[in-house]
Short mmCIF file of all heavy atoms in Angstrom, two decimals:
data_model
loop_
_atom_site.label_atom_id
_atom_site.label_comp_id
_atom_site.label_asym_id
_atom_site.label_seq_id
_atom_site.Cartn_x
_atom_site.Cartn_y
_atom_site.Cartn_z
N TYR A 1 -15.55 2.43 0.87
CA TYR A 1 -15.73 2.05 -0.52
C TYR A 1 -15.77 3.26 -1.43
O TYR A 1 -16.23 4.33 -1.03
CB TYR A 1 -17.04 1.28 -0.72
CG TYR A 1 -17.11 -0.02 0.03
CD1 TYR A 1 -17.64 -0.08 1.31
CD2 TYR A 1 -16.65 -1.20 -0.55
CE1 TYR A 1 -17.71 -1.28 2.00
CE2 TYR A 1 -16.72 -2.40 0.13
CZ TYR A 1 -17.25 -2.44 1.41
OH TYR A 1 -17.32 -3.63 2.09
N ALA A 2 -15.30 3.07 -2.65
CA ALA A 2 -15.49 4.08 -3.67
C ALA A 2 -16.97 4.16 -4.02
O ALA A 2 -17.68 3.15 -4.01
CB ALA A 2 -14.67 3.75 -4.92
N ASP A 3 -17.44 5.36 -4.34
CA ASP A 3 -18.85 5.53 -4.69
C ASP A 3 -19.26 4.66 -5.88
O ASP A 3 -20.40 4.21 -5.96
CB ASP A 3 -19.15 7.00 -5.00
CG ASP A 3 -19.13 7.88 -3.77
OD1 ASP A 3 -19.25 7.35 -2.64
OD2 ASP A 3 -18.99 9.11 -3.93
N SER A 4 -18.33 4.42 -6.78
CA SER A 4 -18.64 3.68 -7.99
C SER A 4 -18.99 2.22 -7.73
O SER A 4 -19.64 1.59 -8.57
CB SER A 4 -17.47 3.76 -8.97
OG SER A 4 -16.29 3.22 -8.41
N VAL A 5 -18.57 1.67 -6.59
CA VAL A 5 -18.82 0.26 -6.31
C VAL A 5 -19.62 0.04 -5.03
O VAL A 5 -19.98 -1.11 -4.73
CB VAL A 5 -17.50 -0.54 -6.23
CG1 VAL A 5 -16.72 -0.41 -7.53
CG2 VAL A 5 -16.65 -0.09 -5.04
N LYS A 6 -19.92 1.09 -4.31
CA LYS A 6 -20.68 0.96 -3.07
C LYS A 6 -22.05 0.35 -3.36
O LYS A 6 -22.76 0.78 -4.26
CB LYS A 6 -20.84 2.33 -2.40
CG LYS A 6 -21.41 2.28 -1.00
CD LYS A 6 -21.42 3.68 -0.37
CE LYS A 6 -20.02 4.24 -0.23
NZ LYS A 6 -20.01 5.57 0.44
N GLY A 7 -22.39 -0.68 -2.59
CA GLY A 7 -23.64 -1.38 -2.80
C GLY A 7 -23.51 -2.59 -3.69
O GLY A 7 -24.42 -3.44 -3.71
N ARG A 8 -22.42 -2.70 -4.44
CA ARG A 8 -22.18 -3.86 -5.30
C ARG A 8 -21.01 -4.71 -4.82
O ARG A 8 -21.05 -5.93 -4.94
CB ARG A 8 -21.90 -3.44 -6.74
CG ARG A 8 -23.08 -2.83 -7.47
CD ARG A 8 -22.82 -2.79 -8.97
NE ARG A 8 -21.64 -2.00 -9.30
CZ ARG A 8 -20.62 -2.43 -10.02
NH1 ARG A 8 -20.62 -3.68 -10.51
NH2 ARG A 8 -19.58 -1.64 -10.29
N PHE A 9 -19.97 -4.06 -4.30
CA PHE A 9 -18.77 -4.76 -3.85
C PHE A 9 -18.72 -4.77 -2.33
O PHE A 9 -19.09 -3.79 -1.68
CB PHE A 9 -17.51 -4.07 -4.37
CG PHE A 9 -17.27 -4.20 -5.85
CD1 PHE A 9 -18.25 -4.68 -6.70
CD2 PHE A 9 -16.06 -3.82 -6.39
CE1 PHE A 9 -18.03 -4.78 -8.07
CE2 PHE A 9 -15.82 -3.92 -7.75
CZ PHE A 9 -16.81 -4.40 -8.59
N THR A 10 -18.24 -5.87 -1.76
CA THR A 10 -18.09 -5.99 -0.32
C THR A 10 -16.70 -6.52 0.01
O THR A 10 -16.28 -7.55 -0.53
CB THR A 10 -19.14 -6.93 0.28
OG1 THR A 10 -20.45 -6.44 -0.03
CG2 THR A 10 -18.99 -7.01 1.80
N CYS A 11 -15.99 -5.82 0.88
CA CYS A 11 -14.65 -6.22 1.31
C CYS A 11 -14.73 -6.83 2.71
O CYS A 11 -15.42 -6.30 3.58
CB CYS A 11 -13.73 -5.01 1.30
SG CYS A 11 -12.00 -5.37 1.66
N SER A 12 -14.03 -7.94 2.90
CA SER A 12 -13.98 -8.59 4.21
C SER A 12 -12.60 -9.20 4.41
O SER A 12 -11.79 -9.24 3.48
CB SER A 12 -15.07 -9.66 4.32
OG SER A 12 -14.90 -10.67 3.35
N ARG A 13 -12.33 -9.67 5.63
CA ARG A 13 -11.04 -10.29 5.88
C ARG A 13 -11.16 -11.40 6.91
O ARG A 13 -12.07 -11.42 7.72
CB ARG A 13 -9.98 -9.27 6.34
CG ARG A 13 -9.92 -9.02 7.85
CD ARG A 13 -10.82 -7.90 8.27
NE ARG A 13 -10.65 -7.56 9.68
CZ ARG A 13 -11.38 -8.07 10.66
NH1 ARG A 13 -12.35 -8.94 10.38
NH2 ARG A 13 -11.18 -7.68 11.90
N ASP A 14 -10.20 -12.33 6.84
CA ASP A 14 -10.07 -13.42 7.79
C ASP A 14 -8.66 -13.32 8.35
O ASP A 14 -7.70 -13.74 7.71
CB ASP A 14 -10.31 -14.76 7.11
CG ASP A 14 -10.32 -15.92 8.09
OD1 ASP A 14 -9.69 -15.82 9.16
OD2 ASP A 14 -10.96 -16.94 7.78
N ASN A 15 -8.53 -12.75 9.55
CA ASN A 15 -7.21 -12.51 10.11
C ASN A 15 -6.44 -13.81 10.36
O ASN A 15 -5.22 -13.85 10.18
CB ASN A 15 -7.33 -11.73 11.43
CG ASN A 15 -7.95 -10.37 11.25
OD1 ASN A 15 -9.16 -10.25 11.06
ND2 ASN A 15 -7.12 -9.34 11.30
N ALA A 16 -7.14 -14.86 10.75
CA ALA A 16 -6.48 -16.13 11.02
C ALA A 16 -5.84 -16.71 9.77
O ALA A 16 -4.84 -17.43 9.86
CB ALA A 16 -7.47 -17.13 11.61
N LYS A 17 -6.40 -16.40 8.61
CA LYS A 17 -5.87 -16.91 7.34
C LYS A 17 -5.03 -15.88 6.60
O LYS A 17 -4.55 -16.16 5.50
CB LYS A 17 -7.02 -17.37 6.44
CG LYS A 17 -7.80 -18.54 6.99
CD LYS A 17 -8.90 -18.95 6.04
CE LYS A 17 -9.66 -20.15 6.57
NZ LYS A 17 -10.75 -20.57 5.65
N ASN A 18 -4.85 -14.69 7.18
CA ASN A 18 -4.13 -13.60 6.52
C ASN A 18 -4.67 -13.37 5.11
O ASN A 18 -3.90 -13.22 4.15
CB ASN A 18 -2.63 -13.89 6.48
CG ASN A 18 -1.93 -13.60 7.80
OD1 ASN A 18 -2.54 -13.10 8.74
ND2 ASN A 18 -0.66 -13.93 7.86
N THR A 19 -5.99 -13.32 5.00
CA THR A 19 -6.63 -13.22 3.70
C THR A 19 -7.70 -12.14 3.70
O THR A 19 -8.46 -12.02 4.66
CB THR A 19 -7.26 -14.56 3.29
OG1 THR A 19 -6.25 -15.57 3.24
CG2 THR A 19 -7.93 -14.47 1.93
N VAL A 20 -7.73 -11.37 2.63
CA VAL A 20 -8.77 -10.36 2.43
C VAL A 20 -9.55 -10.74 1.18
O VAL A 20 -8.99 -11.29 0.22
CB VAL A 20 -8.16 -8.94 2.32
CG1 VAL A 20 -7.24 -8.83 1.12
CG2 VAL A 20 -9.26 -7.90 2.28
N TYR A 21 -10.86 -10.44 1.18
CA TYR A 21 -11.74 -10.83 0.09
C TYR A 21 -12.42 -9.61 -0.52
O TYR A 21 -12.63 -8.59 0.14
CB TYR A 21 -12.82 -11.79 0.58
CG TYR A 21 -12.28 -13.03 1.24
CD1 TYR A 21 -12.08 -13.07 2.61
CD2 TYR A 21 -11.95 -14.15 0.48
CE1 TYR A 21 -11.58 -14.21 3.23
CE2 TYR A 21 -11.45 -15.29 1.08
CZ TYR A 21 -11.26 -15.31 2.46
OH TYR A 21 -10.76 -16.45 3.06
N LEU A 22 -12.80 -9.75 -1.77
CA LEU A 22 -13.62 -8.75 -2.43
C LEU A 22 -14.74 -9.49 -3.17
O LEU A 22 -14.49 -10.17 -4.16
CB LEU A 22 -12.82 -7.90 -3.42
CG LEU A 22 -13.58 -6.75 -4.06
CD1 LEU A 22 -13.93 -5.69 -3.01
CD2 LEU A 22 -12.79 -6.13 -5.20
N GLU A 23 -15.96 -9.36 -2.66
CA GLU A 23 -17.13 -9.94 -3.29
C GLU A 23 -17.71 -8.91 -4.25
O GLU A 23 -18.06 -7.80 -3.83
CB GLU A 23 -18.17 -10.34 -2.24
CG GLU A 23 -19.46 -10.90 -2.80
CD GLU A 23 -19.30 -12.28 -3.39
OE1 GLU A 23 -18.43 -13.04 -2.91
OE2 GLU A 23 -20.05 -12.63 -4.33
N MET A 24 -17.80 -9.26 -5.51
CA MET A 24 -18.27 -8.35 -6.54
C MET A 24 -19.57 -8.88 -7.11
O MET A 24 -19.62 -9.99 -7.65
CB MET A 24 -17.22 -8.21 -7.65
CG MET A 24 -15.85 -7.77 -7.13
SD MET A 24 -14.65 -7.50 -8.46
CE MET A 24 -14.47 -9.18 -9.07
N ASN A 25 -20.63 -8.08 -7.00
CA ASN A 25 -21.95 -8.47 -7.46
C ASN A 25 -22.42 -7.57 -8.59
O ASN A 25 -21.95 -6.44 -8.74
CB ASN A 25 -22.96 -8.42 -6.31
CG ASN A 25 -22.62 -9.35 -5.19
OD1 ASN A 25 -22.30 -10.52 -5.42
ND2 ASN A 25 -22.69 -8.87 -3.96
N ASN A 26 -23.35 -8.08 -9.39
CA ASN A 26 -23.92 -7.33 -10.50
C ASN A 26 -22.83 -6.69 -11.34
O ASN A 26 -22.82 -5.48 -11.60
CB ASN A 26 -24.89 -6.26 -9.97
CG ASN A 26 -25.71 -5.62 -11.07
OD1 ASN A 26 -25.93 -6.21 -12.13
ND2 ASN A 26 -26.14 -4.38 -10.84
N LEU A 27 -21.91 -7.50 -11.80
CA LEU A 27 -20.77 -6.99 -12.56
C LEU A 27 -21.20 -6.38 -13.88
O LEU A 27 -22.14 -6.86 -14.53
CB LEU A 27 -19.76 -8.11 -12.80
CG LEU A 27 -18.92 -8.47 -11.57
CD1 LEU A 27 -18.26 -9.82 -11.76
CD2 LEU A 27 -17.88 -7.39 -11.31
N LYS A 28 -20.50 -5.33 -14.28
CA LYS A 28 -20.76 -4.62 -15.51
C LYS A 28 -19.53 -4.69 -16.41
O LYS A 28 -18.43 -4.96 -15.94
CB LYS A 28 -21.10 -3.15 -15.20
CG LYS A 28 -22.20 -2.98 -14.17
CD LYS A 28 -22.43 -1.53 -13.83
CE LYS A 28 -23.42 -1.37 -12.69
NZ LYS A 28 -24.73 -2.00 -12.99
N THR A 29 -19.71 -4.44 -17.69
CA THR A 29 -18.58 -4.49 -18.61
C THR A 29 -17.50 -3.49 -18.22
O THR A 29 -16.31 -3.74 -18.44
CB THR A 29 -19.02 -4.25 -20.05
OG1 THR A 29 -19.72 -2.99 -20.14
CG2 THR A 29 -19.94 -5.36 -20.54
N ASP A 30 -17.89 -2.37 -17.62
CA ASP A 30 -16.92 -1.37 -17.18
C ASP A 30 -16.07 -1.83 -16.00
O ASP A 30 -15.10 -1.17 -15.65
CB ASP A 30 -17.63 -0.06 -16.81
CG ASP A 30 -18.11 0.72 -18.00
OD1 ASP A 30 -17.73 0.38 -19.14
OD2 ASP A 30 -18.87 1.70 -17.82
N ASP A 31 -16.43 -2.95 -15.39
CA ASP A 31 -15.63 -3.51 -14.31
C ASP A 31 -14.43 -4.30 -14.83
O ASP A 31 -13.60 -4.75 -14.04
CB ASP A 31 -16.48 -4.43 -13.42
CG ASP A 31 -17.55 -3.66 -12.66
OD1 ASP A 31 -17.26 -2.55 -12.18
OD2 ASP A 31 -18.67 -4.20 -12.54
N THR A 32 -14.33 -4.49 -16.13
CA THR A 32 -13.21 -5.21 -16.71
C THR A 32 -11.90 -4.49 -16.42
O THR A 32 -11.74 -3.32 -16.76
CB THR A 32 -13.39 -5.37 -18.22
OG1 THR A 32 -14.55 -6.18 -18.48
CG2 THR A 32 -12.18 -6.03 -18.86
N ALA A 33 -10.96 -5.19 -15.78
CA ALA A 33 -9.70 -4.59 -15.37
C ALA A 33 -8.84 -5.66 -14.71
O ALA A 33 -9.30 -6.77 -14.45
CB ALA A 33 -9.92 -3.43 -14.41
N VAL A 34 -7.60 -5.29 -14.42
CA VAL A 34 -6.75 -6.09 -13.56
C VAL A 34 -6.97 -5.60 -12.13
O VAL A 34 -6.88 -4.40 -11.85
CB VAL A 34 -5.27 -5.98 -13.93
CG1 VAL A 34 -4.40 -6.77 -12.96
CG2 VAL A 34 -5.05 -6.48 -15.35
N TYR A 35 -7.27 -6.52 -11.23
CA TYR A 35 -7.58 -6.19 -9.84
C TYR A 35 -6.39 -6.51 -8.94
O TYR A 35 -5.80 -7.59 -9.03
CB TYR A 35 -8.82 -6.95 -9.37
CG TYR A 35 -10.10 -6.37 -9.92
CD1 TYR A 35 -10.38 -6.43 -11.28
CD2 TYR A 35 -11.00 -5.73 -9.08
CE1 TYR A 35 -11.54 -5.86 -11.79
CE2 TYR A 35 -12.16 -5.17 -9.58
CZ TYR A 35 -12.43 -5.24 -10.94
OH TYR A 35 -13.58 -4.68 -11.43
N TYR A 36 -6.05 -5.57 -8.07
CA TYR A 36 -4.90 -5.68 -7.19
C TYR A 36 -5.31 -5.53 -5.73
O TYR A 36 -6.19 -4.73 -5.40
CB TYR A 36 -3.87 -4.59 -7.48
CG TYR A 36 -3.28 -4.61 -8.87
CD1 TYR A 36 -3.89 -3.91 -9.91
CD2 TYR A 36 -2.11 -5.30 -9.14
CE1 TYR A 36 -3.35 -3.91 -11.19
CE2 TYR A 36 -1.56 -5.31 -10.41
CZ TYR A 36 -2.19 -4.61 -11.43
OH TYR A 36 -1.64 -4.61 -12.69
N CYS A 37 -4.65 -6.26 -4.85
CA CYS A 37 -4.73 -5.98 -3.43
C CYS A 37 -3.42 -5.37 -2.97
O CYS A 37 -2.38 -5.54 -3.61
CB CYS A 37 -5.08 -7.23 -2.61
SG CYS A 37 -3.81 -8.51 -2.60
N ALA A 38 -3.47 -4.64 -1.86
CA ALA A 38 -2.29 -3.94 -1.37
C ALA A 38 -2.37 -3.78 0.14
O ALA A 38 -3.46 -3.78 0.72
CB ALA A 38 -2.17 -2.57 -2.04
N ALA A 39 -1.21 -3.61 0.77
CA ALA A 39 -1.12 -3.45 2.22
C ALA A 39 -0.53 -2.09 2.57
O ALA A 39 0.45 -1.66 1.97
CB ALA A 39 -0.26 -4.56 2.83
N SER A 40 -1.14 -1.44 3.56
CA SER A 40 -0.71 -0.13 4.02
C SER A 40 -0.55 -0.13 5.54
O SER A 40 -1.22 -0.88 6.24
CB SER A 40 -1.74 0.93 3.62
OG SER A 40 -1.45 2.19 4.20
N ASN A 41 0.33 0.74 6.04
CA ASN A 41 0.52 0.88 7.48
C ASN A 41 -0.22 2.08 8.05
O ASN A 41 0.06 2.51 9.17
CB ASN A 41 2.00 0.95 7.84
CG ASN A 41 2.69 2.20 7.32
OD1 ASN A 41 2.11 2.97 6.56
ND2 ASN A 41 3.93 2.39 7.74
N THR A 42 -1.18 2.62 7.29
CA THR A 42 -1.97 3.74 7.77
C THR A 42 -3.41 3.62 7.30
O THR A 42 -3.69 2.98 6.27
CB THR A 42 -1.39 5.09 7.29
OG1 THR A 42 -2.20 6.16 7.78
CG2 THR A 42 -1.35 5.16 5.77
N TRP A 43 -4.33 4.20 8.04
CA TRP A 43 -5.73 4.29 7.67
C TRP A 43 -6.10 5.73 7.31
O TRP A 43 -7.26 6.02 7.03
CB TRP A 43 -6.60 3.78 8.82
CG TRP A 43 -8.07 3.66 8.54
CD1 TRP A 43 -9.09 4.27 9.21
CD2 TRP A 43 -8.71 2.85 7.53
NE1 TRP A 43 -10.30 3.90 8.70
CE2 TRP A 43 -10.11 3.02 7.67
CE3 TRP A 43 -8.23 1.99 6.54
CZ2 TRP A 43 -11.03 2.38 6.84
CZ3 TRP A 43 -9.14 1.36 5.71
CH2 TRP A 43 -10.52 1.55 5.87
N ARG A 44 -5.11 6.61 7.31
CA ARG A 44 -5.36 8.03 7.10
C ARG A 44 -5.91 8.32 5.71
O ARG A 44 -6.80 9.16 5.55
CB ARG A 44 -4.08 8.82 7.33
CG ARG A 44 -4.18 10.29 6.98
CD ARG A 44 -2.94 11.06 7.40
NE ARG A 44 -2.92 12.39 6.85
CZ ARG A 44 -3.60 13.41 7.32
NH1 ARG A 44 -4.38 13.25 8.39
NH2 ARG A 44 -3.52 14.60 6.75
N ALA A 45 -5.38 7.63 4.70
CA ALA A 45 -5.79 7.88 3.32
C ALA A 45 -5.96 6.55 2.58
O ALA A 45 -5.14 6.18 1.75
CB ALA A 45 -4.77 8.76 2.60
N PRO A 46 -7.04 5.83 2.87
CA PRO A 46 -7.19 4.49 2.28
C PRO A 46 -7.34 4.47 0.77
O PRO A 46 -7.07 3.44 0.16
CB PRO A 46 -8.45 3.95 2.97
CG PRO A 46 -9.19 5.16 3.44
CD PRO A 46 -8.14 6.15 3.80
N ALA A 47 -7.77 5.58 0.16
CA ALA A 47 -7.94 5.62 -1.29
C ALA A 47 -6.70 6.11 -2.03
O ALA A 47 -6.73 6.20 -3.26
CB ALA A 47 -9.13 6.52 -1.64
N TYR A 48 -5.64 6.41 -1.33
CA TYR A 48 -4.42 6.98 -1.89
C TYR A 48 -3.43 5.87 -2.17
O TYR A 48 -2.80 5.34 -1.26
CB TYR A 48 -3.86 8.01 -0.92
CG TYR A 48 -2.65 8.77 -1.38
CD1 TYR A 48 -2.66 9.48 -2.57
CD2 TYR A 48 -1.50 8.79 -0.61
CE1 TYR A 48 -1.55 10.20 -2.98
CE2 TYR A 48 -0.39 9.50 -1.00
CZ TYR A 48 -0.42 10.21 -2.19
OH TYR A 48 0.68 10.92 -2.59
#
């Protein structure tokens, strides 16, 4: 997790449903944005 959301956001997945989730708690006005999911073939640089 990014430091800015650690402790507030939780990421999980359901492989059988090919679905990933983002649970967002204690939302702040600064969280306003367009949210995207993405797929990568590496774990080397997850924030890149």
Side-chain angles (χ1 to χ4, degrees):
Y1 297 91
D3 288 341
S4 60
V5 302
K6 190 175 298 183
R8 292 195 300 126
F9 290 11
T10 302
C11 185
S12 61
R13 89 269 187 267
D14 185 334
N15 298 76
K17 296 181 178 180
N18 281 355
T19 300
V20 62
Y21 304 92
L22 186 68
E23 177 72 30
M24 305 184 293
N25 299 313
N26 191 25
L27 284 163
K28 308 176 186 302
T29 55
D30 286 349
D31 293 320
T32 296
V34 177
Y35 284 67
Y36 299 89
C37 67
S40 172
N41 66 352
T42 180
W43 187 238
R44 173 173 169 79
Y48 184 56

